[in-house]
Amino acid sequence: MTLKKIGAALLAVMLLLSCLPFAASAANVPSILYVGEKNKTSDNLIDKYLSSGDVTVYQVFENTTTYYTLTRDDTIGYILTFSDKYTMSEMVECSKADCGLYCNGDLTVCIDGDVTFDADTREFGDAYGWRVDGTLTIQGTKSTAKLTVSGNKTMRQNDDGGIGICADTLMLNGVQVNACGGYAGVQAKSALVMYNAKLYANTDASMKKLGKPQFECSIETENFIQSGGLVKANGDVKIDAFYFTGNGTNQFEENVVVYGRSYTFAKEAYDGNWSESFELFRDPSLIPSCMKVSVGSTVAKISGNRVTLNRKGDTTMTLFVQCGKDVIYFSTSSVNCAVQWWQFIPYFFSFAWIDAYIK
């Protein structure tokens, strides 16, 4: 193969990659995954996967029943699927916390029916129901998919335990989640994203005594993004910003005052000359890490909070969240790059223009 053909092939690959959304990045690949199951709580499922391939855990009793499976997708990452009527049987004791489930990176969980994790035991007074140190996506595989998760229900004022579901980012898609904990039902430090899902946070009758909440808050998150579905939360909540598409329902027991946040690009249109650079977001710290930017072509390139006009032409940029199998779109901006006559020579030798001619 000639050098010219090799160069053309490499540029073609670069063009294809530039059209991919950044959501395909696997920057937080986990190395540890434990599930609370009798006689299996010391088994790291990711080690099992790496040594033997897809992992299946069965209940051997009269008719053999699948408990859960662990698979891996090149774009999604690790996928843990729980079968109908699965109930956790033991706690996971790991170095960071006592949990019903623990993972140290991004994880997708599919709920195929009615699944229960109860970590509310006297022996584990600071237990989490689920703890994921990364992005946790919970996807329902059928319309009746339901997950019930309880951390320790003893009332507490610090967040070092007693949480139903704890994750850096939590995404719920097409599933009903009931979560309870003595500190919080749900803690999603960066963002809680819901797409046609139902969330009941600390609504169980056991979370109140004489009508008063026995927990610090029902939901704690910096960004709460709701598209459709229903959220019902008892007691206080700690939510900094709320984005609501308007086609769902929210029922907060307490009066909730939050920032109404719009997730948008700094400009409606990015028009300029080749190599010119612009600010992508006015305040990038307000954009949660789960939000990604896709660029329609190599007309523009992104680095940090800057977008640079890379070659002559027009394209669009889109800000979105991939929530399970669905996408929530927030902002779209047009991009136009012109090349002035005095830029012709440096533009030509940049070879960025070649991308426009590769088919």
Side-chain angles (χ1 to χ4, degrees):
M1 183 181 288
T2 66
L3 287 175
K4 185 181 292 185
K5 289 181 179 179
I6 293 173
L10 289 173
L11 285 170
V13 172
M14 290 173 63
L15 176 61
L16 288 172
L17 290 175
S18 72
C19 296
L20 290 174
F22 294 163
S25 173
N28 197 13
V29 178
S31 60
I32 297 173
L33 173 60
Y34 293 109
V35 173
E37 189 52 61
K38 188 175 181 180
N39 299 324
K40 300 295 180 185
T41 56
S42 61
D43 291 338
N44 179 5
L45 296 183
I46 291 179
D47 283 348
K48 292 284 185 183
Y49 176 89
L50 294 175
S51 64
S52 61
D54 296 354
V55 177
T56 302
V57 176
Y58 293 103
Q59 176 196 35
V60 182
F61 180 75
E62 293 185 1
N63 297 316
T64 300
T65 302
T66 302
Y67 265 16
Y68 50 84
T69 61
L70 178 66
T71 58
R72 192 175 190 281
D73 182 273
D74 288 340
T75 56
I76 298 174
Y78 285 102
I79 304 172
L80 185 63
T81 301
F82 288 103
S83 300
D84 189 19
K85 298 180 180 178
Y86 172 81
T87 301
M88 179 199 80
S89 58
E90 288 193 358
M91 293 289 292
V92 175
E93 296 182 65
C94 56
S95 59
K96 289 197 173 185
D98 298 313
C99 313
L101 177 151
Y102 174 74
C103 183
N104 70 338
D106 297 343
L107 178 67
T108 295
V109 178
C110 292
I111 304 297
D112 187 21
D114 193 342
V115 175
T116 301
F117 275 73
D118 187 359
D120 180 34
T121 63
R122 292 183 180 179
E123 184 180 355
F124 301 92
D126 59 351
Y128 296 77
W130 285 14
R131 176 168 172 168
V132 173
D133 296 333
T135 295
L136 170 61
T137 301
I138 304 176
Q139 175 86 54
T141 61
K142 58 178 69 172
S143 59
T144 56
K146 184 173 80 169
L147 170 66
T148 300
V149 180
S150 295
N152 184 269
K153 294 181 179 179
T154 303
M155 189 173 184
R156 57 196 302 128
Q157 295 181 331
N158 56 66
D159 66 348
D160 58 352
I163 300 174
I165 299 178
C166 176
D168 296 335
T169 296
L170 175 62
M171 300 194 190
L172 308 179
N173 184 300
V175 64
Q176 177 178 320
V177 174
N178 306 329
C180 293
Y183 175 77
V186 169
Q187 183 189 61
K189 297 174 183 177
S190 176
L192 168 59
V193 182
M194 293 176 53
Y195 187 92
N196 291 332
K198 294 180 179 179
L199 173 62
Y200 297 86
N202 276 341
T203 60
D204 188 82
S206 63
M207 302 309 298
K208 284 189 175 183
K209 187 176 182 180
L210 300 177
K212 294 184 178 181
Q214 300 299 295
F215 50 87
E216 180 69 14
C217 60
S218 54
I219 297 173
E220 183 176 49
T221 187
E222 183 177 347
N223 296 277
F224 189 175
I225 299 167
Q226 183 185 357
S227 178
L230 163 71
V231 56
K232 185 173 182 180
N234 278 356
D236 196 10
V237 299
K238 296 180 180 180
I239 299 173
D240 187 56
F242 188 43
Y243 176 92
F244 179 54
T245 60
N247 59 345
T249 303
N250 47 78
Q251 301 172 6
F252 294 103
E253 186 178 54
E254 299 290 336
N255 184 29
V256 181
V257 179
V258 298
Y259 288 109
R261 187 162 291 169
S262 296
Y263 305 99
T264 59
F265 292 114
K267 297 168 68 69
E268 292 184 5
Y270 291 87
D271 298 328
N273 297 324
W274 172 69
S275 77
E276 197 171 351
S277 180
F278 301 92
E279 185 179 58
L280 191 61
F281 301 110
R282 291 184 180 86
D283 186 350
S285 69
L286 300 180
I287 306 298
S289 60
C290 61
M291 289 190 176
K292 310 299 177 184
V293 178
S294 64
V295 184
S297 73
T298 56
V299 167
K301 289 189 175 181
I302 296 172
S303 178
N305 193 44
R306 306 296 297 181
V307 54
T308 301
L309 302 184
N310 179 62
R311 69 167 176 83
K312 184 178 180 180
D314 301 294
T315 192
T316 57
M317 293 191 305
T318 303
L319 179 66
F320 67 96
V321 166
Q322 182 75 42
C323 184
K325 63 182 180 181
D326 294 293
V327 179
I328 305 174
Y329 296 98
F330 297 93
S331 181
T332 299
S333 183
S334 62
V335 181
N336 176 262
C337 175
V339 180
Q340 301 300 323
W341 65 266
W342 64 83
Q343 297 179 308
F344 284 168
I345 294 177
Y347 177 67
F348 177 83
F349 284 105
S350 74
F351 297 109
W353 53 272
I354 295 177
D355 291 346
Y357 298 96
I358 296 177
K359 304 297 183 182

